[in-house]
Amino acid sequence: MLIRSKPSNIILSSEITPREIFEARRQFIKQCAVGAIGSAGLLEMANRSAFAQNPGAQKLAAATNSNYVVIDNKTAYKDATTYNNYYEFGTDKSEPAQSAGSLKTRPWSVSIEGEINKPMKLDLDSLMKIAPLEERIYRLRCVEGWSMVIPWIGFSLSNLIKKVEPNSNAKYIEFTTLADKSQMPGLREGVLDWPYVEGLRMDEAMHPLALLTFGMYGEVLPNQNGAPVRMVLPWKYGFKSPKSIVKIRFTNKQPKTAWNTTAPREYGFYSNVNPEVDHPRWSQASERRIGEDGFFTKKRKTLMFNGYSEVASLYSGMDLKKYY
Ligand SMILES: Nc1nc2c(c(=O)[nH]1)N[C@H]1C(S)=C(S)[C@@H](COP(=O)(O)O)O[C@H]1N2
Ligand SMILES: [Mo]
C-alpha cells in the first residue's frame, strides 16, 4: 500500500481473456449454432462464463444467509482471484495468484491464546466445525481506492470467541498470520515487519458482521485469497482483514498491527471505511469497482462504513477523524 504502482503494473482486467471464459464462449457459440439452448440456457451460459470457477478447487457448500447479502453485482471470480493484495507473495496485484501455489494449507492449525479461560490449538477441520458455514455477499473496499463484491463462506467470529471464554482482561484481539520464508517469496522484501499482524477491539470482533472465512464462490479459499482461514471485516479497509491466520491472541492492550506500526499517519488502528477522512496522499471519497473499469465508467461514491451502517453504534462518541 505504501508502494506507488509503476505504470507497468497496471493491467486492466478487461484486457485479460482468461481461458475459462474463452472456452465457455466457444462452447456457447457452438450451442447457439445448433440452436440447442433456450433463453434460460443463454443466461446460464453467460453467468457461467463470467463466474467461471477453478476446475481443480475443492467445493465448500454453504447456504446463503440473506441477512448479509449486498445487492451489487458480484465481482467475477477471475478478477477476485487474480487481482490481490498478499504481500507475502509479492506486491504486484498479479503476483499472489502466480506464486501462492507454494503455500501449504494442510495440515493447518490455529492457536488461540491470551486472556481466555480455554486456550486451545484447533486444527482446520475442528475450527470449521465450531458453527454452521454460511455464504455472505460482502463488499470489500481496499484503502487503495478499489472495491469488490465477493460471496464469502464462513461464520461470525463471535462463535469462536464465545467458545474460548474471554476473561475480564480481554479488551482486544490480535491476529497473527503465517510468515514462512520457505513458502512465501515476498518475505525477502522488507516491505513490512513480518509477520502480518492485525487487531480489533473486542466489541468489533464480536460484531456479527466479522466473518471468520474459509471459502468463497462455493469453494475453499484460493491460496492468494488467504487460505485456509482469514478474516473479512467489510466495514473496514481491506488490510484489516488478515489472510492465512495461525494465531489469535486475546489481549489487554491495543495490539501493534503491521501497517499501523509501519506508517501510523497513513493507517490507523481502526481504519473504518470513511469517505470523509482522506488518506494523507489521496482522497477516499470514491472507489473503482473492479470489473467496472471501462474508460467511461464513473467511479462509485464510497459509503460511510462501506455501507454497513449497523456498526455505527460501536463508535458512538468517538471522533472518527482522530481515530481513523
Ligand atoms: N497476510 C496478509 N493479509 C492481507 C494482506 C497481506 O498482504 N497479507 N493484504 C490485505 C489487503 S491490503 C487487502 S485489500 C485484502 C485483499 O484481499 P483479497 O485479495 O482476497 O481481495 O487482504 C488483506 N489481508
Ligand atoms: Mo488493501
Side-chain angles (χ1 to χ4, degrees):
M1 291 182 309
L2 278 169
I3 297 152
R4 288 164 213 258
S5 39
K6 300 159 258 162
S8 64
N9 293 342
I10 301 164
I11 304 168
L12 287 181
S13 50
S14 55
E15 288 169 10
I16 303 167
T17 305
R19 188 167 53 85
E20 285 90 330
I21 296 182
F22 175 76
E23 273 167 11
R25 230 180 256 150
R26 204 167 55 179
Q27 179 70 11
F28 173 75
I29 291 163
K30 245 168 61 191
Q31 286 184 267
C32 283
V34 296
I37 44 173
S39 58
L42 275 169
L43 245 174
E44 170 58 23
M45 288 303 298
N47 262 325
R48 219 183 290 159
S49 62
F51 298 107
Q53 322 268 291
N54 172 4
Q58 194 190 323
K59 297 275 172 257
L60 191 63
T64 308
N65 183 335
S66 57
N67 295 322
Y68 300 98
V69 172
V70 292
I71 52 163
D72 311 21
N73 287 330
K74 277 186 266 180
T75 298
Y77 176 86
K78 199 73 195 180
D79 288 335
T81 56
T82 54
Y83 189 91
N84 299 102
N85 274 337
Y86 197 166
Y87 280 9
E88 289 87 334
F89 292 101
T91 53
D92 284 0
K93 294 286 178 282
S94 57
E95 271 180 300
Q98 289 158 10
S99 59
S102 54
L103 176 65
K104 199 167 160 261
T105 58
R106 274 185 191 262
W108 192 275
S109 60
V110 179
S111 164
I112 302 146
E113 16 185 290
E115 303 287 354
I116 49 177
N117 294 335
K118 293 184 169 167
M120 51 183 82
K121 192 166 183 170
L122 290 170
D123 63 51
L124 190 63
D125 293 316
S126 319
L127 184 62
M128 284 175 79
K129 278 185 201 127
I130 284 178
L133 295 175
E134 42 186 72
E135 179 181 71
R136 301 184 182 183
I137 306 178
Y138 280 169
R139 292 186 201 98
L140 186 81
R141 166 63 156 83
C142 176
V143 76
E144 296 163 338
W146 50 267
S147 60
M148 296 199 197
V149 177
I150 298 181
W152 302 106
I153 297 164
F155 50 73
S156 294
L157 177 69
S158 62
N159 292 292
L160 174 63
I161 297 177
K162 285 179 205 144
K163 188 180 162 77
V164 298
E165 297 178 10
N167 65 37
S168 58
N169 288 327
K171 300 284 193 301
Y172 296 90
I173 187 164
E174 177 193 79
F175 303 94
T176 304
T177 77
L178 185 73
D180 179 351
K181 280 205 178 83
S182 71
Q183 302 181 53
M184 301 172 135
L187 295 185
R188 278 176 244 131
E189 293 162 48
V191 196
L192 279 173
D193 203 358
W194 312 108
Y196 194 105
V197 173
E198 257 311 329
L200 296 170
R201 215 171 54 191
M202 196 53 66
D203 58 341
E204 299 182 296
M206 282 298 290
H207 196 281
L209 275 172
L211 192 70
L212 190 66
T213 306
F214 304 94
M216 58 195 265
Y217 297 86
E219 298 174 350
V220 301
L221 284 171
N223 290 355
Q224 62 268 36
N225 292 86
V229 56
R230 68 174 294 176
M231 284 302 300
V232 181
L233 301 154
W235 72 96
K236 291 178 177 286
Y237 291 117
F239 73 89
K240 292 293 297 181
S241 293
K243 295 176 167 180
S244 310
I245 296 167
V246 293
K247 186 164 76 183
I248 299 177
R249 196 165 66 93
F250 292 71
T251 67
N252 192 232
K253 282 200 215 118
Q254 185 176 300
K256 287 193 169 66
T257 63
W259 277 109
N260 183 239
T261 312
T262 305
R265 257 184 22 87
E266 307 201 354
Y267 309 111
F269 176 77
Y270 287 93
S271 283
N272 293 313
V273 174
N274 188 343
E276 285 163 25
V277 177
D278 288 344
H279 185 279
R281 293 190 270 125
W282 59 81
S283 162
Q284 293 290 22
S286 64
E287 68 203 52
R288 180 172 67 93
R289 179 63 50 81
I290 301 298
E292 293 181 348
D293 27 23
F295 192 73
F296 297 105
T297 311
K298 268 178 77 180
K299 284 185 147 199
R300 289 175 177 252
K301 268 200 161 122
T302 289
L303 304 171
M304 187 65 201
F305 299 121
N306 201 21
Y308 297 89
S309 52
E310 62 264 49
V311 300
S313 61
L314 296 173
Y315 310 103
S316 57
M318 276 175 77
D319 178 355
L320 294 180
K321 289 209 160 72
K322 186 170 170 219
Y323 296 100
Y324 56 87

